[in-house]
Amino acid sequence: MPVPRARLLTRALAAVLPVALLVPAAPAAGADTSTTAHGPQPVARGYLGAVSSIDADATAIGTAVLRKGGNAVDAAVATAAALGVTDPFSAGIGGGGFFVYYDAKSRTVRTLDGRETAPAAADESLFLENGSPLPFWEAVTSGLSVGVPGTPATWRDALKAWGSRPLAALMRPAERLARSGFTVDETFHRQVASNAERFSAFPASRDLFLPGGAPPEVGSTFTNPELADTYARLAATGTADLYNGEVAADIADTVQDPPVDPDAGLTVRPGKLTVEDLAGYRTAEREPTHVRYRGLDVYGMPAPSSGGLTVGQALNMLETKDLAGMDESAYLHHFLESTRIAFADRNRWIGDPAYSDVPSAELLSQEFADSRACLIDPDSALTSPVAPGDPRSPQPCAQAAPGAPTPYEGEHTTHVTTADKWGNVVAYTLTIEQEGGSGIVVPGRGFLLNNELTDFSFAPSASGVPDPNLPAAGKRPRSSMAPTIVLRHGKPVLAVGSPGGASIITTVLQVLLGRLDRDLTLPEAVAAPRASQRNSPTAQVERAFLEQPATAGLIERGQRFADTPSEIGAVTAVERLRDGRWLAAAEPERRGGGSASVVLPVRLPWDR
Ligand code: GLY
């Protein structure tokens, strides 16, 4: 991270300033900082721990756990449980996710794979009908797309391994929130409205989310007593009820016989998920991905997520480029080209490692990165789809086989980042896939089922290119979730993640580059306009990105952007500042703005 002289001076001052000169940030130290009179607060700085999420109630619950002596893992679980209440269209106990944890005592990074699995009855033809792939949206709203949820098991197993509080205690605040309710905001209202048609086809989804036949009004109180009861059952049974009990039986029934209103005129295909599939679910502890970048250690989630491998490969490709010295157009061109190429490799090589040989070490080798970076022309964009390279025998600048385009993935999901007073850090991304998942609420249980299995390729993505992401019994679909923790000399400096389907990877990379190479503060890097190039002829783009002066230089180089700009990602992040404070950052605008909080807020005069 380049350090300008002025900042070196202020850091030196911070080191010698008496504590009395530090300015406690309003509200007073120790108070919750996740909301202000003006709404959620996207940035907080201070001591004793930090939480950042997309939702103020969830962040407040996580911060309260820290304040009462819980650690970062406890806070992440409590925050995630609350998000299942207030952000149920992105994540919840009906879905899965990936948990990355830095353990301050051992100075190691650990990961937990809580990805959903396909039922034992699944095979390559899961999404084929008469030999052809189903239309994507018909697959989404179906029992076929529902994988065995991994989120409750992730909470249970993360707490068992690294937590300090019982699951029951950490689920209680979320249970209370579901019972007493929270205030509906624009984002919640919009998410119901955009799903209203399919929610209205399922009586359980309709009764919950469309009371009186319409989305809940902004400003009204939304309660979910059935979810509160389900949380209480999970808490009492240590999640066993969802894997071996009555909730498991209800999930299997719902998937096998989707409870659709016969008058809705919607064809909802049943799935084959069984109680045995639920009983057999296991999380997996996996070795994190690791790359060195600018003297830092960057850790992420390995396969079946492509997040850590693809972010890591792109960083390796950019390591030899002087991004800090480039003008903004040249820098953004290199960023876009790195992910264009890395996605070609991701699509060819990454899937569930239990089903195909994922050459993870080779994908992250500097030799492979250099052989791919040599394709980047500083003055001209490559034509997509770029062909994948072969990390097992890197050929510099090779461009032989046909390329595989990146299949569509849902753009929802959510991310939680926490840190505690001991220096432990969590980056946890969780999801039910599409906004609203499968659209199917389990009757009487108050939560939506995922549609994660649509993250599988329905058919090989390009003829002649092997696809490691076809469905199979018990297999985990490839993910793009990229919870990331960065260390300097074994200690955390940054933790970051985002929702956004395949754009998660480009978003996390862009935030890392913004912070590590471009001298943006973390809040600036989070807020910066985004683009996402995933080996497609046009990159996904935000309107603000198109409107910035540097974009002209990108277009001159042949970069092309989608005609319809769309919001990309919703980052939450935490940084350990050099003066020892935590900086928690969330979105100022995207998804209605996120919520950052620290246990003991302290502002210094030079904070920008
Ligand atoms: N469903 C989003 C992801 O796994 O990347």
Side-chain angles (χ1 to χ4, degrees):
M1 209 177 309
V3 185
R5 265 193 210 162
R7 216 182 295 172
L8 280 175
L9 181 65
T10 53
R11 281 177 192 155
L13 270 174
V16 296
L17 266 181
V19 172
L21 281 186
L22 303 179
V23 184
D32 167 49
T33 58
S34 58
T35 56
T36 67
H38 309 293
Q41 176 176 291
V43 181
R45 295 177 182 84
Y47 295 102
L48 302 180
V51 178
S52 184
S53 85
I54 198 65
D55 177 74
D57 289 311
T59 292
I61 282 174
T63 309
V65 168
L66 294 176
R67 194 171 294 129
K68 289 180 193 147
N71 69 19
V73 175
D74 304 329
V77 169
T79 306
L83 288 170
V85 178
T86 57
D87 190 13
F89 313 112
S90 300
I93 55 174
F98 295 102
F99 197 101
V100 179
Y101 166 62
Y102 169 78
D103 182 71
K105 212 168 180 182
S106 60
R107 295 194 173 191
T108 54
V109 177
R110 318 282 290 272
T111 81
L112 205 54
D113 168 353
R115 187 66 160 168
E116 299 90 333
T117 52
D123 61 23
E124 272 191 24
S125 67
L126 180 67
F127 292 117
L128 300 180
E129 223 164 64
N130 304 321
S132 299
L134 279 176
F136 184 75
W137 289 104
E138 289 185 29
V140 167
T141 308
S142 80
L144 287 175
S145 68
V146 180
V148 180
T151 289
T154 304
W155 298 350
R156 179 195 67 207
D157 295 350
L159 290 173
K160 192 165 169 218
W162 311 305
S164 73
R165 298 282 187 273
L167 178 67
L170 298 169
M171 291 192 73
R172 206 164 294 127
E175 180 199 329
R176 276 198 296 267
L177 185 62
R179 222 176 278 290
S180 60
F182 58 92
T183 306
V184 171
D185 64 8
E186 293 279 356
T187 307
F188 190 94
H189 176 86
R190 184 193 54 69
Q191 290 181 325
V192 179
S194 60
N195 279 286
E197 200 176 324
R198 64 188 188 127
F199 284 174
S200 66
F202 299 97
S205 309
R206 183 173 64 208
D207 294 349
L208 180 58
F209 295 123
L210 298 162
E217 293 287 334
V218 174
S220 64
T221 299
F222 184 86
T223 61
N224 190 343
E226 290 178 344
L227 181 63
D229 290 345
T230 306
Y231 272 21
R233 293 180 82 102
L234 261 57
T237 62
T239 75
D241 205 42
L242 191 136
Y243 291 105
N244 300 95
E246 290 178 20
V247 176
D250 287 353
I251 291 174
D253 284 350
T254 305
V255 171
Q256 291 172 25
D257 187 10
V260 63
D261 182 341
D263 296 332
L266 192 67
T267 303
V268 181
R269 293 165 178 82
K272 293 183 181 159
L273 189 148
T274 63
V275 287
E276 288 77 24
D277 292 320
L278 285 147
Y281 184 82
R282 300 287 179 272
T283 60
E285 191 178 344
R286 299 188 188 276
E287 271 298 301
T289 60
H290 170 240
V291 296
R292 291 275 295 166
Y293 186 69
R294 314 269 187 238
L296 304 171
D297 292 285
V298 181
Y299 290 92
M301 198 64 222
S305 184
S306 58
L309 290 170
T310 309
V311 168
Q313 183 189 337
L315 288 173
N316 281 343
M317 288 165 63
L318 294 170
E319 168 92 320
T320 55
K321 315 282 178 193
D322 178 19
L323 297 184
M326 292 179 187
D327 68 30
E328 188 70 5
S329 284
Y331 151 64
L332 289 170
H333 173 72
H334 281 79
F335 158 62
L336 294 170
E337 291 300 272
S338 72
T339 58
R340 185 195 300 279
I341 296 166
F343 265 87
D345 304 324
R346 168 221 191 243
N347 298 345
R348 164 64 186 89
W349 297 106
I350 306 176
D352 183 338
Y355 291 74
S356 60
D357 186 12
V358 181
S360 301
E362 293 86 348
L363 280 165
L364 289 183
S365 75
Q366 194 59 47
E367 186 190 3
F368 181 58
D370 293 344
S371 78
R372 302 296 280 158
C374 119
L375 290 170
I376 298 179
D377 178 338
D379 300 318
S380 176
L382 287 157
T383 302
S384 281
V386 169
D390 188 341
R392 300 164 308 179
S393 61
Q395 307 290 322
C397 290
Q399 268 276 51
T406 302
Y408 176 76
E409 288 172 26
E411 293 180 5
H412 291 276
T413 304
T414 197
H415 182 77
V416 174
T417 318
T418 61
D420 65 29
K421 61 184 172 189
W422 297 279
N424 302 303
V425 175
V426 170
Y428 178 29
T429 314
L430 60 163
T431 186
I432 55 170
E433 222 300 283
Q434 291 292 320
E435 180 187 272
S438 64
I440 309 172
V441 165
V442 180
R445 303 301 184 189
F447 66 92
L448 284 157
L449 289 171
N450 70 82
N451 66 296
E452 214 67 58
L453 303 188
T454 60
D455 275 356
F456 282 124
S457 306
F458 289 17
S461 347
S463 76
V465 183
D467 189 334
N469 191 36
L470 293 168
K475 189 172 176 180
R476 295 168 192 237
R478 177 174 61 213
S479 171
S480 298
M481 289 189 266
T484 302
I485 295 181
V486 183
L487 309 184
R488 182 192 290 116
H489 306 313
K491 292 190 171 176
V493 288
L494 258 185
V496 59
S498 178
S503 74
I504 291 172
I505 289 167
T506 57
T507 294
V508 167
L509 179 68
Q510 198 177 346
V511 171
L512 290 175
L513 299 179
R515 181 70 195 99
L516 303 179
D517 286 288
R518 301 294 293 175
D519 196 31
L520 300 182
T521 63
L522 183 61
E524 288 167 347
V526 170
R530 295 192 189 125
S532 177
Q533 170 48 260
R534 307 192 294 270
N535 201 18
S536 305
T538 57
Q540 187 186 355
V541 70
E542 292 186 330
R543 184 168 303 283
F545 189 98
L546 285 179
E547 288 169 354
Q548 64 187 355
T551 300
L554 294 172
I555 291 169
E556 273 167 27
R557 288 175 170 88
Q559 299 289 352
R560 297 288 172 261
F561 300 103
D563 291 336
T564 319
S566 58
E567 188 175 280
I568 300 175
V571 168
T572 72
V574 163
E575 178 174 352
R576 189 80 192 240
L577 300 175
R578 289 195 183 225
D579 57 30
R581 289 176 301 161
W582 293 108
L583 187 168
E587 294 288 349
E589 303 278 347
R590 297 180 182 97
R591 284 224 192 151
S595 173
S597 171
V598 291
V599 174
L600 177 62
V602 172
R603 194 183 303 141
L604 291 168
W606 48 78
D607 286 338
R608 62 170 169 130

